[in-house]
Amino acid sequence: MLLSLVSRNNKVFFRNKLLVFFSLLSVLILIGLYAIFLQNLQLNSIAEYVPVTPEIEVLVSEWMVAGLLSIIAMSATLGVFGIYIKDLEAKTTADFLVTAASRYKIQLSYVISSCIIGFSMTFVGFICCEIFIVSIGGELLSPIAMLKAVGILILAVVMSSMINLFIVLFINTETAFSTVSTISGTLLGFLCGIYVPMAVLPTAIQSAIHFFPVSHITVLLRDVFTAQSVEKVFAGYELYAKTYKVDYGVIYEIDGSILSSLMSLLFVLSTIIVLGTLSALVFRRKYK
């Protein structure tokens, strides 16, 4: 029964072209902003540190790609939970309860669907981004780096599903869900340090970003994607490399100390566990 529900959710999502479009709307906005001014803004900033080379454009594109994939994971999984809200408002969930399906299985089916669809769309995005990087003169990630990236994307999708599950448990109408989706799409670019460089933000906003779970996925991906290009671009200018990384959120510096990738990884895993547990408790209380 669980597999049937998951299959049904997947079909409903991809059949609804509007739902798919709005799941990717924030991604399309980011691509548009990048093409219009974000790319040139960062290119000009790097040019203040080092001589202009073709590798700089590759570095900036790799930086953007990391943020793009983070947003895809978050927005795609949130879009899938739109099916849950629609079913809830249309009382389709009540119809499912007439069958052998329990509330637990029904809810779990949405979570599994969000992970499957979220990873599918994020992985396709990953392949497209790799093709784009190569097309502008960059290199494919090494096999080890590629495995790291895929592993991070899996964590990104699972964590995004947990975050979105926790949020939608407090939503009962499609109108409220649309509002949350709009706010989420708008804030993601800022809270992942994509629209505005970390260095120009007030300290309080930087601290908020440091505690935003999705931003740690962005940092982990940036570290993987930009590692080779940073070495090339800042060869002979190593002192500026750290400045660039901190200013543009490739690494996080908190109270003068660099936050390691391991700490970001542990933060992500902790978020999955905590929100998964809280969601289970909220669900149990809501339907007991």
Side-chain angles (χ1 to χ4, degrees), residues 195-254:
Y195 294 159
V196 182
M198 291 282 290
V200 304
L201 294 171
T203 304
I205 302 297
Q206 290 186 36
S207 297
I209 292 175
H210 291 156
F211 284 99
F212 183 57
V214 182
S215 76
H216 286 267
I217 291 293
T218 307
V219 168
L220 290 168
L221 287 172
R222 282 173 181 162
D223 184 50
V224 172
F225 275 101
T226 65
Q228 292 184 359
S229 293
V230 166
E231 290 184 3
K232 292 179 181 178
V233 170
F234 293 96
Y237 300 88
E238 284 74 14
L239 289 176
Y240 294 121
K242 181 186 174 183
T243 301
Y244 166 76
K245 286 183 175 183
V246 172
D247 286 354
Y248 281 89
V250 178
I251 56 176
Y252 279 165
E253 185 177 48
I254 302 175

Side-chain angles (χ1 to χ4, degrees), residues 6 43 55 76 91 101 111 131 162 175 194 203-204 238 268-269:
V6 171
L43 286 172
E55 285 79 12
K91 301 191 184 304
V111 176
I131 293 173
M162 291 300 100
T175 301
I194 300 172
T203 304
E238 284 74 14
V268 169
L269 291 172

Side-chain angles (χ1 to χ4, degrees), residues 109-160:
S109 72
Y110 296 115
V111 176
I112 294 174
S113 290
S114 73
C115 288
I116 292 173
I117 294 172
F119 181 73
S120 298
M121 296 179 73
T122 306
F123 188 73
V124 170
F126 171 68
I127 298 300
C128 292
C129 287
E130 281 289 84
I131 293 173
F132 168 69
I133 294 299
V134 172
S135 71
I136 61 172
E139 299 177 3
L140 286 173
L141 292 175
S142 68
I144 293 177
M146 201 168 288
L147 286 174
K148 285 182 180 179
V150 172
I152 295 168
L153 292 179
I154 292 173
L155 284 176
V157 170
V158 174
M159 185 183 71
S160 296

Side-chain angles (χ1 to χ4, degrees), residues 3-112:
L3 292 178
S4 298
L5 288 170
V6 171
S7 177
R8 175 259 178 190
N9 294 338
N10 294 347
K11 290 177 182 177
V12 169
F13 179 81
F14 286 112
R15 196 182 298 136
N16 190 331
K17 306 302 181 186
L18 197 60
L19 187 59
V20 175
F21 171 76
F22 280 109
S23 295
L24 296 174
L25 183 58
S26 56
V27 176
L28 298 175
I29 291 173
L30 173 58
I31 293 174
L33 291 175
Y34 174 76
I36 294 170
F37 76 92
L38 289 179
Q39 182 186 35
N40 289 332
L41 186 67
Q42 192 172 154
L43 286 172
N44 294 335
S45 178
I46 297 176
E48 295 178 4
Y49 301 126
V50 298
V52 176
T53 62
E55 285 79 12
I56 293 181
E57 182 180 350
V58 174
L59 171 60
V60 174
S61 296
E62 290 170 339
W63 178 90
M64 185 275 295
V65 158
L68 189 70
L69 293 174
S70 302
I71 290 180
I72 292 176
M74 190 69 179
S75 59
T77 52
L78 180 60
V80 177
F81 281 110
I83 301 171
Y84 159 70
I85 298 299
K86 186 175 183 179
D87 288 346
L88 193 66
E89 194 168 25
K91 301 191 184 304
T92 305
T93 305
D95 295 336
F96 289 150
L97 290 171
V98 177
T99 67
S102 64
R103 286 191 183 277
Y104 171 76
K105 284 186 178 180
I106 294 170
Q107 194 66 34
L108 184 60
S109 72
Y110 296 115
V111 176
I112 294 174

